[in-house]
Amino acid sequence: MASAMGLLAACAKPDRNFAPPAASEPRPELTAPADIVAALAKGGYILYMRHGETIREQGEIEAKNRETGRFNIEDCTTQRNLSDNGREQARASGVAYRRVGIPVARHISSRYCRALQTARLFADEVELSEALTSEGAITKNPERIKAVQAVLSVQPPPGQNLMLFAHQGIFYAATELTTQEGWTVVLEPGNFKRIIARIAPRDWEVLARAARPARR
């Protein structure tokens, strides 16, 4: 089942931006769809989703806009954005996610366009987080890293989960864990040495099918 779910992808040395997780990172404890659905149904987890697939070449445009002072968090044209494939992938994943019926108390997103657009395909009500936005370099700012760790340590209400939509850079800085575009990492709040599950974009449809018998 792990191959169908795509939850155990690994490589010898991770590219923090786009490569699969390193083999040295904790292995997901749950890989079977039914087990993941059952765990999330009970609540108590943080679901950290990296925004959908982007137009990588726009990363240079965003960097230059920062250097010249033209970057604007409210202006999507100054940022790296979702690709057409990324939008479609996020749309399909969002539809399947809603069918799974996971109890989620809050959906919280970075203010970057690529993260917020992804979040709005998963939930009708999305909160914005300055900690998850983390404009500019974060790795040299301990206070900003602590702010991200604080968000990742929030305990959801009983029987509920929290879902976050943000980025790889701040996730790695806060946890030393990696995640690919469009993937979701399920964590125990405040515990960055344990990965409950990794959910690929295509896995939401698999989880939706696994959840259907449980609701009968």
Side-chain angles (χ1 to χ4, degrees):
M1 184 60 68
S3 59
M5 287 291 291
L7 300 175
L8 297 179
C11 64
K13 183 177 180 181
D15 178 322
R16 295 181 188 176
N17 286 323
F18 302 109
S24 59
E25 294 189 31
R27 293 281 177 151
E29 296 180 10
L30 303 178
T31 57
D35 293 341
I36 296 173
V37 169
L40 295 178
K42 294 179 181 178
Y45 297 110
I46 299 287
L47 287 78
Y48 187 98
M49 183 176 187
R50 184 179 177 187
H51 57 75
E53 180 184 302
T54 57
I55 304 171
R56 298 187 187 181
E57 294 77 8
Q58 290 184 344
E60 295 182 9
I61 295 175
E62 183 174 307
K64 289 180 180 179
N65 284 334
R66 289 186 184 283
E67 294 174 1
T68 59
R70 289 182 291 182
F71 176 82
N72 182 347
I73 195 67
E74 305 293 340
D75 185 352
C76 297
T77 65
T78 67
Q79 306 169 35
R80 189 171 97 244
N81 293 288
L82 297 179
S83 64
D84 290 341
N85 184 63
R87 289 177 184 275
E88 177 55 29
Q89 190 178 71
R91 185 202 64 77
S93 297
V95 170
Y97 163 80
R98 293 170 190 259
R99 288 168 46 214
V100 179
I102 297 169
V104 176
R106 300 165 63 192
H107 295 85
I108 307 172
S109 176
S110 157
R111 293 171 56 212
Y112 278 84
C113 294
R114 54 188 178 269
L116 186 54
Q117 289 167 359
T118 301
R120 286 175 172 162
L121 290 169
F122 277 70
D124 295 328
E125 296 185 9
V126 178
E127 302 176 37
L128 300 180
S129 167
E130 291 303 319
L132 293 181
T133 301
S134 295
E135 291 186 61
I138 184 176
T139 55
K140 297 180 181 179
N141 191 322
E143 292 305 313
R144 292 172 70 183
I145 294 175
K146 288 180 181 178
V148 177
Q149 292 172 334
V151 177
L152 291 169
S153 300
V154 173
Q155 290 289 339
Q160 299 283 309
N161 303 284
L162 297 181
M163 189 159 186
L164 314 178
F165 300 83
H167 312 273
Q168 164 58 21
I170 63 172
F171 188 59
Y172 186 85
T175 67
E176 296 189 352
L177 300 172
T178 56
T179 183
Q180 297 162 271
E181 290 184 323
W183 284 60
T184 300
V185 182
V186 181
L187 299 172
E188 177 185 359
N191 185 350
F192 311 136
K193 302 299 182 182
R194 179 186 181 199
I195 293 179
I196 306 303
R198 287 187 182 271
I199 304 172
R202 65 184 178 276
D203 293 340
W204 288 111
E205 178 60 34
V206 180
L207 295 179
R209 291 197 298 268
R212 195 175 304 138
R215 291 197 292 267
R216 289 177 181 172

